Amino acid sequence: MAGDKYSVLLPTYNEKDNLPIIVWLLCKYFHDSSFDYEIIVIDDGSPDGTLEVAKKLQEIYGENRIVLRPRAKKLGLGTAYIHGIKHATGNYIFIMDADLSHHPKFIPEFIKKQKEGNYDLVSGTRYIGSGGVYGWDLKRKVISRTANYITQILLRPRASDLTGSFRLYRKEVLQKLVEACVSKGYVFQMEIIVRARQFNYTIGEVPISFVDRLYGESKLGGSEIIGFVKGLLHLFVST
Amino acid sequence: MTKLMEWLTGAVLILGPWSAVVTNTIQNEFTKQYYMEILLFPVFLVAVFGLVSIAVIAYRVYTFNDCQEAAEELQQQIKEAKADLAKKGLKLD
């Protein structure tokens, strides 16, 4: 549709190696599909020089494509989204990870799905269809599937992947959802889906491949699991 | 109604009549004949749920896509991106 513009929110923390690649990929797939876009980099005072790299990318791709809205320190994902939405000039918002675990090649598929069903929200899922994960061992897969299974039984969200963070939203929908959410971390993404159902927003799904972090290690320790269970129970009793 | 309330409602709907039968508050020929079966019914439900859950989770873990090609494609594109960005003036290690 004429006039649609997609704002990609990229919260970053120490992503000086990954940021140029993800920006290159985003520009490539958006350019090839002719959709109007901007990339909003929200750097939380990365000590590794991520912001300097972002400025160089801005010189290459232009200030209308690479928008920098940094913050002084690590302030969390929810506020990063709020901050990003305030500066977004698009009517649709993509959220995704900047560490190359999410691949921009799925962006045209998200857009197509959204238009097909006129969805308020399109969620990238690792658990159905051609979706999947690279780089997880058996233990990690078991934890992931078990957590998702328990979540499905307790919350019945009618969405297959609740902790995923590769999604497309109408701008006003994301705004309303972020304002309504109180959780942090994995549970924040879960709460968004649960609240979306509460508000009767429509949700579409696109299978995506998730490539676990190349540079550095992602951790799933005891405290993450406890935090997840606490958050899940909180949603169970309050929604 | 919250999910918790839904579950409590469901629990009451099942455990209400069950406890009435099990405490002999309500009884008839049927409940007398099948008393043991009725008594153990909730245990049976939990066991079935447990077994089905394990089977479902095992199946989903087994069929979890490994995305080998996605990882290879990404590695390839990273090289491409670095080369292209170097041309455009951004040197990366």
Side-chain angles (χ1 to χ4, degrees), chain A residues 17 20-21 24-25 29 56-57 60-61 100 103 105 126-127 129-134 138 141-142 145-146 149 153-156 209 214-215 236-239, chain B residues 1-7 49 52-54 56-57 60-61 63-68 70-71 73-75 77-78 80-82 84-85 88-90 92-93:
Chain A
D17 292 323
I21 316 289
W24 187 87
L25 287 169
Y29 286 96
K56 292 214 190 89
L57 289 165
I60 296 175
Y61 289 104
L100 298 175
H103 199 301
K105 70 178 177 180
R126 297 158 292 172
Y127 295 131
S130 53
V133 178
Y134 173 82
L138 182 65
K141 285 185 191 176
V142 169
R145 284 297 198 176
T146 303
Y149 180 77
I153 293 201
L154 289 182
L155 300 182
R156 300 194 326 271
S209 53
L214 302 169
Y215 304 107
F236 179 67
V237 306
S238 62
T239 64
Chain B
M1 207 192 266
T2 64
K3 291 293 180 291
L4 175 63
M5 288 309 297
E6 287 177 17
W7 279 68
F49 170 73
V52 167
S53 299
I54 290 174
V56 167
I57 292 173
R60 288 176 178 174
V61 168
T63 57
F64 210 156
N65 288 327
D66 267 321
C67 298
Q68 180 68 32
E73 179 190 40
L74 180 60
Q75 290 295 29
Q77 285 180 316
I78 289 176
E80 221 184 302
K82 283 183 176 172
D84 190 45
L85 286 168
K88 294 184 158 113
L90 178 60
L92 303 158
D93 15 78

Side-chain angles (χ1 to χ4, degrees), chain A:
Chain A
M1 212 161 83
D4 282 336
K5 183 173 179 185
Y6 298 88
S7 300
V8 181
L9 301 190
L10 277 187
T12 60
Y13 191 73
N14 285 345
E15 297 287 4
K16 79 163 179 5
D17 292 323
N18 292 326
L19 184 63
I21 316 289
I22 188 103
V23 166
W24 187 87
L25 287 169
L26 281 166
C27 293
K28 170 184 152 71
Y29 286 96
F30 268 113
H31 179 262
D32 289 351
S33 60
S34 304
F35 291 117
D36 192 14
Y37 72 102
E38 63 182 354
I39 301 169
I40 304 181
V41 179
I42 303 152
D43 186 57
D44 280 359
S46 298
D48 74 345
T50 302
L51 191 56
E52 279 60 55
V53 173
K55 287 186 183 142
K56 292 214 190 89
L57 289 165
Q58 205 177 37
E59 283 167 31
I60 296 175
Y61 289 104
E63 284 179 15
N64 62 327
R65 292 300 187 205
I66 314 290
V67 177
L68 303 183
R69 293 285 174 258
R71 305 190 297 178
K73 56 182 183 145
K74 219 161 190 267
L75 290 171
L77 206 54
T79 52
Y81 290 162
I82 293 176
H83 186 69
I85 293 171
K86 264 204 260 279
H87 296 108
T89 60
N91 53 334
Y92 289 98
I93 309 250
F94 270 102
I95 61 149
M96 61 190 301
D97 291 350
D99 62 0
L100 298 175
S101 51
H102 296 144
H103 199 301
K105 70 178 177 180
F106 294 105
I107 286 194
E109 293 182 36
F110 274 89
I111 296 177
K112 179 165 168 229
K113 187 74 189 185
Q114 191 278 324
K115 290 185 189 303
E116 250 171 47
N118 199 24
Y119 295 110
D120 295 311
L121 195 169
V122 179
S123 168
T125 170
R126 297 158 292 172
Y127 295 131
I128 61 173
S130 53
V133 178
Y134 173 82
W136 279 4
D137 59 10
L138 182 65
K139 177 175 164 199
R140 185 69 181 84
K141 285 185 191 176
V142 169
I143 292 175
S144 180
R145 284 297 198 176
T146 303
N148 182 260
Y149 180 77
I150 295 172
T151 305
Q152 294 292 333
I153 293 201
L154 289 182
L155 300 182
R156 300 194 326 271
R158 287 172 291 141
S160 60
D161 189 346
L162 277 98
T163 52
S165 49
F166 191 177
R167 298 182 184 158
L168 170 62
Y169 298 85
R170 288 190 212 279
K171 180 157 92 171
E172 62 279 8
V173 168
L174 180 60
Q175 177 134 31
K176 183 153 182 213
L177 289 173
V178 174
E179 276 160 22
C181 287
V182 295
S183 328
K184 309 242 174 287
Y186 289 118
V187 188
F188 173 72
Q189 303 294 356
M190 282 165 52
E191 192 182 354
I192 288 211
I193 298 276
V194 170
R195 302 269 170 224
R197 286 297 182 203
Q198 272 186 329
F199 295 142
N200 284 316
Y201 287 135
T202 53
I203 301 179
E205 294 193 300
V206 165
I208 58 161
S209 53
F210 181 94
V211 176
D212 206 333
R213 302 185 73 141
L214 302 169
Y215 304 107
E217 282 188 351
S218 56
K219 292 189 186 60
L220 189 65
S223 67
E224 256 96 10
I225 294 184
I226 291 174
F228 171 82
V229 171
K230 275 164 108 173
L232 176 58
L233 291 177
H234 175 258
L235 289 174
F236 179 67
V237 306
S238 62
T239 64

